[in-house]
Amino acid sequence: MVGWLLASAAAACIGSTYAQPSPEVQVRISAAIAAAQVSNSTDIDYTAFVNPFIGTDYTNYGDVCPGASVPFGMVKFTTDFTGYAPAGYISDPSQKARGMSPLHDSGTGSSLGTYGNFEVMPLLCPSGFDTCTTTLAARERYRKNDSDDAYPGYFSLTLDNDIKMEATSTRRAGLERFTFPGGAKPYFVLDLANDLPASFAGGTLDIDPENGRITIGGHYGSSFGPGSYNYQAFACYDLLNSGTQRLSEYGVWTGDTYGLDAKGLGQTHLNLSQNLIGGTPYQSGALFSYEGNPEKVILRVGVSFVSTDQACANAEEEIGTSSFEEIQKASKALWQEKLSKVEIDVVNTPPNVTEMLYSSLYRASLTPNNATLETQGAFANTTSFYFDSLYCSWDTFRTFYPLMTLHSPVEFAQIVDTYIDGWRKLGWMPECRANHLPGWTQGGSSGDNIVAQFAVNYHNEAQALGIDLDELYAALVTDGQVNPPEWNTMGRQVNVYKQFSYVPFAVLDTGSTGRQTREGSRTLEYAFEDFAIRQVAQVLGKTDDVEYYTNRSYWYRNVWDATVDSDGYQGFMQKRFSNGTFYNTDPVDCSPKDTRSSRECSLQEDNQSGFYESSSWEYSWYAPHDTGHLVELMGGNTTFTDRLDHFFEGGYYLAGNEPSFQQTPIGYHYVNQPWRSVDRVRDVVINNFNIDIAGLPGNDDQAAMATLLGFHLLGLYPVPSTTHYLIVSPFTPKYTIHNTYLNTSTTVTVTNYSPASVAYPIPDGVPAYVKSVTINGVPAKSRCYIDFYDTFRVGGEIEIVVTEDKTYDCGGPVPESLSMGGFASAR
Ligand SMILES: *[C@@H]1O[C@H](CO)[C@@H](O)[C@H](O)[C@H]1NC(C)=O
Ligand SMILES: *[C@@H]1O[C@H](CO)[C@@H](O)[C@H](O)[C@H]1NC(C)=O
Ligand SMILES: *[C@@H]1O[C@H](CO)[C@@H](O)[C@H](O)[C@H]1NC(C)=O
Ligand SMILES: *[C@@H]1O[C@H](CO)[C@@H](O)[C@H](O)[C@H]1NC(C)=O
Ligand SMILES: *[C@@H]1O[C@H](CO)[C@@H](O)[C@H](O)[C@H]1NC(C)=O
Ligand SMILES: *[C@@H]1O[C@H](CO)[C@@H](O)[C@H](O)[C@H]1NC(C)=O
Ligand SMILES: *[C@@H]1O[C@H](CO)[C@@H](O)[C@H](O)[C@H]1NC(C)=O
Ligand SMILES: *[C@@H]1O[C@H](CO)[C@@H](O)[C@H](O)[C@H]1NC(C)=O
Ligand SMILES: *[C@@H]1O[C@H](CO)[C@@H](O)[C@H](O)[C@H]1NC(C)=O
Ligand SMILES: *[C@@H]1O[C@H](CO)[C@@H](O)[C@H](O)[C@H]1NC(C)=O
Ligand SMILES: CC(=O)N[C@H]1CO[C@H](CO)[C@@H](O)[C@@H]1O
């Protein structure tokens, strides 16, 4: 997903002499990798290889949150900045910090930002309480140059007045530590009425000076969904650090940008309703100071989506009287447990690959946010697991869940439970859940591909993992059959899809409402979602349904217009009227080569393009379950190969967004030329990813991008909703994936691996192309793909022999395609 309301980002004028984060971050990571390479120890601290700042830049919009979090933490402490900063933090040193806050998402493209509630900003108020700079504009400050720091479980930032802010966290709570320059009286402003999207819809704040506690909370608006939707959030700030700190003054304040700057010393209560006239955000909160000019101040923070009482209880339960160091150590241990599920041969892997891989694996467990027992609205008191920020399924079905499949079925099952519970409570599975609210649907019901991914790979364990497959299937069939009255946030426009066997353009729909755009891409996505239902029907032995949904999964063909020509290539996906006539648009529209920069390519209401956030050039490759037939539609193996080369070399590939993830770099596998995919994936990685702040080509999108890179580095590529993974060419000579639920460990060894192959182009004579694949001593039936059931499920050894010779084909079947007899039976 790209930020569809994205305004022009402020052109920052950055000198080369100063930047963020601190250069020490990379120095520390490089030293840790170098030390691990020398010691050759098996006892490796993988957290030391993680760079949380990758994707926090302000040119590629990675929108990554580098904040302190535990795996899948609800709390992610970071500093909120002015300007375009959807995750709160941005590394752009020309932006100003306005406070640190506990709630954030990571990688979302929402241009207004998401969360950022309950910000606290340390202040120096030399002339006393009434002169404190409480309002947003008055309190924002630059950072100290080259000083931001973060690693798993820890975040810190130092303001230009030398006040340092640090944070560490648990799932629903955390500690903030502030260090003041010697001798200054510490003041803090706490914000009630501001979050990143400026969506305050009313709330209250109470100061209990006796107990040194501030409870705060209210209602706020969706960051990527209907503006009329509100969610509730609460926090509990304990100010006394178990009695070691003494409050001096306290009170409340309100302000605006036009001169309102009122403070109420000694007042303890605010109760504000939504400001219905709109305009600039209403500003309000608490202000307090400490006795005795302590150099350090610690604030304990609990958050909840249920109540202030629960926010306080969460802090008591998860933090209690633990020290900053104790919480940080516990967080680090949780990260080590997640990161060590994938162990590589660090000694012989290029350091940048190690850093990219562990930073990607880190973000692959950073989101979605585990808000179990913190439910509201339709989900209040649910007995299911509950995850927030499924942001969005359209982004994550492709690589995020297929990676989780390899090593984390327990976590995967919990998230599948949250998808099924969405169907139970709201009628359809969630598509995009942002701030506990249904967000905008981008394609159709991509959650179908997520729960199907789980079902086909773990149906034997589903029951033990708490998933009822019959219920999972009922949820799928609802998505596939029941048209919601309004399909902008859930489900699909399945009534007209079923009537016409594609989603027609300009169709009379008398029974439901939604944004009638993206007819080409919606048809393609609905068809692949139908394949997901087909796959689960097959697991459950529902023969009639298998046939029915197999048929529907071929409907992608109904938007193929064989007459359209672009750059000499014939046949493109196009939108179509209900009478069958195609409505042709230029396949170049909405591609990087589109010369009309004002064209609206996302969720806007006009009908210029039939494709979502991409072009027909790109979407014409999209039939992941039936690529073999696509090859035929495009005119056969040679044309397909030429066309795929032209797609990349002619400038149509868009590394920064999801539609290009799928299929294209590995498309050559389907025409039996896997070595071409090896070259192309090297091209994609080397030219688009790196270890610096601009090291992602676009929004991380709840780690969709991170897991894409993870697969590329491991030399695998998933076919979603199946048990298959294509074999490409690992960037590391050896890795082991541990599945602690199945009690299996699988080691992939790349014989003849050369670090010189981590380059584009791969130099002549350097081995990188797959010559043979052996699974537990037995030659694999194909060099091009493996089945989860034969490999990572059972554990053991996979040997991949690579060669410099670009002549080896699949040596057996090419990856499967449904209409050519593929996916014929469930494993
Ligand atoms: C590292 O240790 C392994 C065995 O644990 C050994 O085979 C390998 O040669 C060692 N590598 C280096 C660079 O010392
Ligand atoms: C950061 O460095 C720049 C360039 O050297 C300088 O202009 C600026 O004042 C510095 N900012 C701070 C907060 O020290
Ligand atoms: C806030 O004020 C509203 C009415 O304006 C009242 O209904 C509500 O109970 C008050 N809430 C608190 C916590 O004081
Ligand atoms: C959830 O449980 C709480 C506490 O028992 C109760 O006050 C609330 O009404 C329940 N909410 C719903 C929607 O059932
Ligand atoms: C989510 O939180 C619940 C409640 O603490 C816990 O049982 C579950 O294991 C957590 N899941 C993940 C994936 O962190
Ligand atoms: C599936 O399509 C085939 C061929 O068009 C047709 O014969 C069959 O009746 C269809 N099956 C179902 C269940 O729709
Ligand atoms: C189908 O409908 C479109 C839009 O109304 C129209 O332009 C086109 O001529 C129609 N095609 C046929 C074959 O009637
Ligand atoms: C195209 O490639 C596929 C996969 O290798 C192969 O089965 C097929 O025979 C090829 N077609 C032609 C016309 O060469
Ligand atoms: C590693 O990444 C850094 C930072 O992006 C880059 O400058 C350097 O060239 C990379 N090194 C290699 C060997 O790719
Ligand atoms: C994995 O091992 C644990 C501990 O030995 C055991 O309790 C569990 O049943 C095993 N799980 C499987 C799927 O074999
Ligand atoms: C911008 C655009 O392409 N608008 C078209 C939408 O569809 C109607 C009906 O075909 C056209 O008349 C518009 O030009």
Side-chain angles (χ1 to χ4, degrees):
M1 162 173 69
V2 298
W4 71 289
L5 293 171
L6 188 61
S8 67
C13 178
I14 308 303
S16 56
T17 50
Y18 66 106
Q20 295 293 351
S22 165
E24 286 306 311
V25 173
Q26 186 54 52
V27 169
R28 186 178 64 222
I29 294 166
S30 297
I33 295 172
Q37 288 184 312
V38 172
S39 84
N40 195 18
S41 160
T42 50
D43 183 19
I44 294 174
D45 174 9
Y46 295 105
T47 67
F49 305 160
V50 173
N51 185 346
F53 291 102
I54 295 174
T56 61
D57 74 313
Y58 41 94
T59 51
N60 291 352
Y61 307 114
D63 299 341
V64 163
C65 178
S69 179
V70 293
F72 307 106
M74 213 168 86
V75 165
K76 302 188 198 309
F77 276 112
T78 195
T79 310
D80 300 312
F81 279 89
T82 52
Y84 179 78
Y89 181 88
I90 194 86
S91 49
D92 180 352
S94 73
Q95 297 296 344
K96 293 177 171 176
R98 47 172 226 206
M100 182 147 79
S101 66
L103 295 172
H104 293 95
D105 282 332
S106 183
T108 67
S110 172
S111 54
L112 298 174
T114 169
Y115 287 123
N117 326 46
F118 317 130
E119 221 165 66
V120 74
M121 182 73 163
L123 303 175
L124 299 174
C125 308
S127 307
F129 191 91
D130 281 326
T131 67
C132 282
T133 51
T134 46
T135 63
L136 286 174
R139 74 178 191 244
E140 49 186 56
R141 291 201 81 92
Y142 288 114
R143 283 164 277 194
K144 199 171 169 181
N145 287 329
D146 301 324
S147 64
D148 299 352
D149 193 6
Y151 44 84
Y154 176 83
F155 175 85
S156 95
L157 182 138
T158 304
L159 297 169
D160 65 357
N161 57 8
D162 283 326
I163 302 177
K164 183 173 186 178
M165 319 189 218
E166 299 170 282
T168 187
S169 68
T170 59
R171 181 167 77 95
R172 298 175 293 180
L175 292 172
E176 300 179 331
R177 181 166 65 191
F178 300 87
T179 307
F180 283 76
K185 177 167 185 165
Y187 281 85
F188 291 89
V189 55
L190 173 61
D191 210 311
L192 165 67
N194 200 70
D195 62 345
L196 292 171
S199 68
F200 183 61
T204 60
L205 179 150
D206 286 280
I207 305 175
D208 172 355
E210 218 83 320
N211 296 304
R213 171 172 279 186
I214 300 178
T215 49
I216 183 169
H219 289 83
Y220 303 84
S222 170
S223 61
F224 190 68
S228 56
Y229 287 5
N230 290 323
Y231 71 96
Q232 61 182 24
F234 306 91
C236 176
Y237 276 78
D238 283 309
L239 315 181
L240 303 186
N241 192 28
S242 309
T244 62
Q245 296 168 177
R246 251 180 330 131
L247 275 186
S248 170
E249 304 138 294
Y250 55 87
V252 298
W253 61 276
T254 59
D256 66 14
T257 40
Y258 302 102
L260 170 60
D261 183 8
K263 295 177 180 77
L265 179 63
Q267 295 202 41
T268 59
H269 182 62
L270 284 168
N271 184 357
L272 306 171
S273 60
Q274 187 167 15
N275 189 1
L276 291 173
I277 201 166
T280 57
Y282 196 76
Q283 304 180 24
S284 198
L287 176 63
F288 53 93
S289 64
Y290 286 91
E291 287 292 356
N293 299 351
E295 193 199 346
K296 286 194 195 309
V297 173
I298 289 191
L299 303 181
R300 188 180 76 176
V301 189
V303 296
S304 171
F305 295 114
V306 173
S307 65
T308 51
D309 283 352
Q310 189 155 321
C312 296
N314 289 343
E316 272 149 25
E317 185 189 314
E318 297 183 8
I319 306 280
T321 57
S322 299
S323 69
F324 193 93
E325 285 71 22
E326 284 164 341
I327 297 300
Q328 195 184 320
K329 199 172 157 215
S331 177
K332 183 177 160 155
L334 292 172
W335 280 112
Q336 173 70 0
E337 191 257 321
K338 292 284 181 243
L339 296 170
S340 58
K341 289 185 174 195
V342 179
E343 299 194 88
I344 66 170
D345 173 1
V346 179
V347 174
N348 296 301
T349 300
N352 281 14
V353 172
T354 300
E355 183 171 343
M356 283 194 283
L357 180 65
Y358 284 97
S359 301
S360 298
L361 294 172
Y362 168 76
R363 299 203 307 284
S365 290
L366 188 59
T367 52
N369 309 336
N370 185 358
T372 299
L373 303 176
E374 294 295 340
T375 52
Q376 58 183 275
F379 295 90
N381 304 335
T382 186
T383 51
S384 292
F385 288 99
Y386 178 83
F387 287 79
D388 180 38
S389 302
L390 307 170
Y391 208 146
C392 298
S393 306
W394 181 83
D395 300 290
T396 53
F397 80 86
R398 305 159 203 266
T399 51
F400 186 90
Y401 294 103
L403 186 64
M404 197 175 248
T405 301
L406 294 178
H407 50 58
S408 295
V410 172
E411 291 80 354
F412 194 1
Q414 292 179 4
I415 295 169
V416 167
D417 188 33
T418 214
Y419 272 87
I420 297 172
D421 202 41
W423 163 78
R424 285 188 207 112
K425 302 297 191 313
L426 295 176
W428 290 268
M429 287 197 279
E431 178 50 30
C432 194
R433 179 182 290 164
N435 315 104
H436 306 268
L437 301 166
W440 301 124
T441 293
Q442 300 176 66
S445 45
S446 303
D448 298 347
N449 296 103
I450 294 171
V451 303
Q453 174 74 22
F454 176 80
V456 299
N457 287 290
Y458 285 105
H459 57 90
N460 295 321
E461 294 77 22
Q463 198 181 358
L465 288 166
I467 301 299
D468 177 343
L469 287 176
D470 291 325
E471 211 182 12
L472 181 152
Y473 190 68
L476 281 171
V477 168
T478 303
D479 280 351
Q481 293 294 339
V482 183
N483 202 101
E486 210 274 356
W487 41 268
N488 287 314
T489 59
M490 272 178 283
R492 321 185 210 163
Q493 193 186 12
V494 79
N495 56 357
V496 299
Y497 174 67
K498 282 165 64 181
Q499 188 182 347
F500 296 95
S501 306
Y502 57 93
V503 179
F505 171 61
V507 69
L508 174 68
D509 180 348
T510 59
S512 69
T513 313
R515 187 151 275 179
Q516 288 213 26
T517 58
R518 304 155 286 148
E519 293 80 9
S521 55
R522 281 199 287 134
T523 299
L524 298 172
E525 287 166 11
Y526 287 15
F528 190 57
E529 290 151 12
D530 289 340
F531 173 70
I533 305 176
R534 181 259 184 210
Q535 290 289 86
V536 181
Q538 187 178 60
V539 163
L540 298 177
K542 296 179 187 291
T543 321
D544 293 349
D545 285 10
V546 172
E547 184 182 326
Y548 170 79
Y549 285 105
T550 296
N551 282 2
R552 276 179 41 168
S553 78
Y554 293 144
W555 290 358
Y556 73 89
R557 298 172 184 178
N558 297 336
V559 289
W560 176 261
D561 184 349
T563 68
V564 176
D565 183 286
S566 180
D567 292 357
Y569 293 94
Q570 192 80 19
F572 282 86
M573 301 295 178
Q574 292 281 290
K575 66 182 179 181
R576 204 171 178 183
F577 289 107
S578 51
N579 64 12
T581 299
F582 282 101
Y583 176 105
N584 290 127
T585 57
D586 188 342
V588 177
D589 287 357
C590 295
S591 78
K593 290 184 75 177
D594 191 345
T595 50
R596 188 167 144 192
S597 62
S598 64
R599 199 184 309 281
E600 298 190 321
C601 298
S602 186
L603 286 174
Q604 295 92 348
E605 65 197 329
D606 74 29
N607 59 6
Q608 291 175 6
S609 169
F611 298 91
Y612 180 66
E613 290 191 349
S614 190
S615 60
S616 167
W617 250 104
E618 186 167 271
Y619 265 105
S620 293
W621 304 104
Y622 189 73
H625 55 307
D626 203 26
T627 304
H629 185 74
L630 212 49
V631 173
E632 288 179 358
L633 287 177
M634 289 190 179
N637 296 347
T638 307
T639 320
F640 181 92
T641 307
D642 288 351
R643 181 169 169 165
L644 198 46
D645 281 342
H646 184 72
F647 172 73
F648 285 99
E649 285 148 26
Y652 294 111
Y653 177 71
L654 179 59
N657 207 19
E658 279 72 9
S660 281
F661 284 11
Q662 201 82 51
Q663 299 307 93
T664 54
I666 48 73
Y668 305 96
H669 271 58
Y670 290 86
V671 288
N672 213 2
Q673 300 186 45
W675 61 270
R676 286 189 195 272
S677 302
V678 172
D679 280 345
R680 195 58 75 192
V681 169
R682 287 297 200 270
D683 176 10
V684 165
V685 171
I686 301 294
N687 289 316
N688 295 288
F689 293 90
N690 218 321
I691 57 169
D692 46 34
I693 53 170
L696 293 183
N699 298 160
D700 201 32
D701 285 328
Q702 197 216 297
M705 190 78 80
T707 48
L708 168 77
L709 178 59
F711 272 119
H712 283 337
L713 298 177
L714 296 176
L716 294 175
Y717 201 80
V719 185
S721 301
T722 77
T723 59
H724 293 178
Y725 291 84
L726 309 192
I727 302 168
V728 192
S729 179
F731 285 60
T732 172
K734 188 172 180 174
Y735 62 90
T736 301
I737 295 185
H738 302 284
N739 187 320
T740 49
Y741 181 76
L742 295 175
N743 296 331
T744 57
S745 293
T746 309
T747 298
V748 176
T749 306
V750 185
T751 302
N752 298 335
Y753 170 88
S754 166
S757 74
V758 179
Y760 183 75
I762 297 170
D764 284 345
V766 171
Y769 310 100
V770 178
K771 184 178 174 186
S772 75
V773 178
T774 313
I775 302 167
N776 289 324
V778 179
K781 68 170 185 180
S782 170
R783 289 189 282 254
C784 281
Y785 71 101
I786 51 175
D787 192 306
F788 183 57
Y789 280 77
D790 302 328
T791 53
F792 296 97
R793 262 191 76 95
V794 289
E797 304 283 334
I798 300 174
E799 187 195 10
I800 299 174
V801 179
V802 293
T803 168
E804 67 279 9
D805 192 349
K806 299 192 191 189
T807 58
Y808 288 89
D809 61 14
C810 294
V814 299
E816 296 184 7
S817 293
L818 188 58
S819 65
M820 299 178 158
F823 311 112
S825 55
R827 293 299 305 265

